[in-house]
Amino acid sequence: MKHFDVIVVGGGHAGTEAAHAAARMGARTALVTLRADAIGVMSCNPAIGGLGKGHLVREIDAMDGVMGRAADMAGIQFRLLNRRKGPAVQGPRTQADRKLYRLAMQGLTAEQANLEVIEGEAASFMTAGGRITGVRLADGAELPAKAVVLTTGTFLRGLIHIGDQKQPGGRMGDKPSISLADNLRDLGIETGRLKTGTPPRLDGRTIKWELLDMQPGDDEPELFSFLHRAPFVRQISCGITHTNEQTHQIIRDNLSRSAMYGGHIEGVGPRYCPSIEDKIVRFADKTSHQIFLEPEGLDDHTVYPNGISTSLPVDVQEDYVRSIYALEDVKILQPGYAIEYDYVDPRSLTQSLELRSQPGLFLAGQINGTTGYEEAAAQGLVAGLNAARVAVGQEPVQFSRTNSYIGVMIDDLTTRGVTEPYRMFTSRAEFRLSLRADNADQRLTGFGLDLGCVGETRQIAFESKMEQLASGRALMEALTLTPREAAAHGFAVNQDGARRSAFALLSFPDIALPDLERIFPDLSALAPEISAQLAKDALYANYVARQERDVEAMKRDENWEIPADFDYAAMSGLSNELKLKLSRARPQTLGQAARVDSVTPAALTLILAKLRQMKRMKTA
Amino acid sequence: MDTIFALATARGKAGVAVIRISGPRAWIAAEALAGNLPEPRVAGLRRLRLGAEDLDEAVVLCFRGGASFTGEDVAELHIHGAIATVAAVLQALGRIDGLRLAEPGEFTRRALENGRLDLAQVEGLADLIDAETEAQRKQALRVLSGAVGQVVDQWRSKLVRAAALIEATIDFADEEVPVDVSPEVLDLIGGVAQDIRRELGRLSAAERIREGFEVAIVGNPNAGKSTLLNALAGREAAITSEIAGTTRDVIEVRMDLAGLAVTLLDTAGLRETEDVVEAIGVRRALERAGQCDLRIFLLDQDEIPLIQPQDGDLIVHGKADLHPTEGLSISGKTGKGLDRLIAEITARLSERASGAGVMSRERHRDALIRAIGALESAQDEVLRGGERAELAAEGLRQAARALESLLGRVDVEHLLDEIFASFCIGK
């Protein structure tokens, strides 16, 4: 019998990232999945990244994870979203060739040392003394391990709805995990239901492309990985079409036949990824909705119509799709469907994504109430790193709201819980101006090196880049202008007598790098990507300095640790509602407690008073 | 949680004194002294004893946790207000296990911690306790009833709306959101900024109500300023004499004019002088008088004042008993014209007080100024166009944070220390 340090159950985006992270940390890792050839499958849209999501992928990459590298290898249309806005809110995104992505992920998995793939269905957990000690497969085989990462995606009691038809399934064509769900309940883990949806897939050979507006990728593609410079394969364009009054009428006439509106679904769906039924009901005054027609691969004629996910019956799907411009003769290859699945209230997890009630068991991905490949992978990274540490008896590591989107997400999930599938947005990050996609490596690669999850290739590239940034910054700080000189160059600065460095001048709205290179020829000696990076750092330098106070305040609150057995029920001043919410969220610090839903300043003060009292008693 | 107790009424001899006990052992402690307790919220007459020692006869009143001032179990002992009686009962309570004397402001702190009051309401309570005049009482009561929270919530909801519009253009750039949201955003920001500016304007008036208006009496030596002050105050507050230059320091008298707290300042006579001590007095008088809310110039006939009266100042001709004249003229000695003068002062101050808002503290002013600064920066960034949307959003976030600090949602620890520092025991 083989012994592993870490077993990861599930080969989706959370599972692969978790397995790779654990293996990079040196843990003997097994990835248990139903089908090895399904590792890296994209179940929904053929794209990686976006706003907030692209940040997560860059952060995963900064920790030497695999999602960004695989996405680059499969990317067929790179676009930097918000290119015309500031760098803090720009998000890299790419269309990905499904097959290439799967193959890239499987290739990276095969190359990874310490990582073994085991085909089989995880049926139950092995436990001993209140700890998880491994996984039992459906065929009875036992796989002992020191820590287990569970990434079930939509498979946990998955139920697929098309109109009033429903069938159990983890995704179209795969069976759900029922015995694992039962086993989780046996362990006393409470679950809820969420739902998500997907659109019908179209046969690209039956689309009238020649009639459509086409959206190409960027002229200068921005890749995900800090190690990559240019796309690996041929780039393509997407088509754009729109729904119309007729489409809306067909949907309105058949609303009662939709699984969603027919009352067949109990799970809650995401508001920001609504089905076409939702859009038409909730925004009744809109007469048209945009649809992106995204090819699923270079040698695949399947097309993903982004924007019309649905749970209507197949015949209605055909009718409404064919009412759309340029899709009049289209053939549906696979109908759209809604899927309901079990999730675990993420407030029952620690910040390292370990179940508080089941030490040794980590959860990542949709099982924690999130949606999206990127959110799943980022959690996989956190769970995998921590599972590997737990396996060798090390303290857990945490990401913080002040250093990463990963930290923001983990904190949101574990302190606030979810009411609908959680998706990342840049507006969730209060320190958005410093947590940028462009500086993810500066923020996290050093941290990853300390942890031991960053390989040599990246280390060398990172250290060289950091040196160049430091010397470039020193140069920019050393080159200065007096206000009078600045004015002579046409810059509008205060005539306050203070010299300003090239770095400081870059934060002015009307001063750009080429202006300064004309004045200070020395700057042209810097590598273009280094000066471009420094210009981004400079743009926000003033704001970031101002935010330092907020960061400090947050860190101060984070330093007040709340013991795991802190008794909220015994606190006379708290309302019953707050007692319940706090007991459920179990914030690990005062800072987290502040972010638990409806916690008032008064309640915080009370907790703080109690913590101070406990500290006094300890020192006394 | 400790059980705390303290004298809740003012120190010193009085008809009745109230001792408040709050905490899990409050009823047990009261019972230890009173033998048995009346039903909650029903007054009962009891003999207070500790052991063999007879303390006093008292009205005992109990409140159940959740329905009391602090949110905890509370007992109140209404005892005779003799200094010795109070001391004896406090001492007896101190000997009961698990009880200790409350720290300054601790009852209020517990009320805050137990969610009975928010931060602004605590300030309102402090003001209410300190209120000396009708206008102060009304203002404090408005704050205590949560008026600051209501105002701030209105602003915040507008800023949340503005932020949401901007965030939509950032986070959903690829979807069908309006490209240009700036008209509505600018409208919202402009509206809130205007409200905050108005509140800042009213803050000075509210601050005056809370702290009192200052009115200076200025005039040449021996013009009769001190006599006037005494007449207004109705008591001998300043030393009056016939010798010019007697008043070398600034003398203050607090009084209640039609519900407004007013501090009258009698200043040294304004004249060129060789006397070093008097010169200092004159300089001080000029400085102080300049900072006051209102100046009463007490002049002789046809005399020209040494300093320029400001808008709204009063010019009064003195010694009306000796030189009867037209216009505003008074005699401190006979009281002639005093009623008219008081009516004038009251009218002018009331007009200024009528514009008072709900915020009245330096802390409020700081937060409002920070919010305005952040909103102005947000406004600039919105006007610069969508390329700087994230900076506009940052301005809005900072403004919201500044406003939240009014209610104590950030930097809780620091704020509390500051607020509770101004509290007296037992309130």
Side-chain angles (χ1 to χ4, degrees), chain A residues 51 79 82 84-86 89 290 425-427 430 432 509 540 543 547 550 556 573 601-602 605 608 612, chain B residues 112-114 167 169-174 176 381 386-387 390-391 393-394 397 401 408 411-413 416:
Chain A
L51 297 163
R79 285 203 309 130
N82 276 341
R84 292 183 51 210
K85 291 195 168 66
V89 293
Q290 189 171 256
F425 300 111
T426 70
S427 48
E430 56 273 65
R432 171 166 72 187
Y540 298 117
Y543 287 87
Q547 279 191 341
D550 295 351
R556 206 169 46 234
T605 323
L608 177 61
R612 276 176 168 173
Chain B
L112 176 77
E113 289 171 355
N114 294 344
E167 296 295 354
T169 67
I170 294 175
D171 269 334
F172 300 93
D174 231 22
E176 296 164 279
E381 299 297 0
E387 305 88 78
E390 79 279 18
L391 295 174
E394 178 62 19
R397 203 187 63 84
R401 263 184 87 82
D411 276 344
V412 182
E413 234 183 309
L416 285 180

Side-chain angles (χ1 to χ4, degrees), chain A residues 158-160 166-170 174-176 178:
Chain A
L159 190 59
I160 290 173
K166 56 185 159 189
Q167 66 188 80
D174 284 310
K175 55 184 183 158
I178 303 293

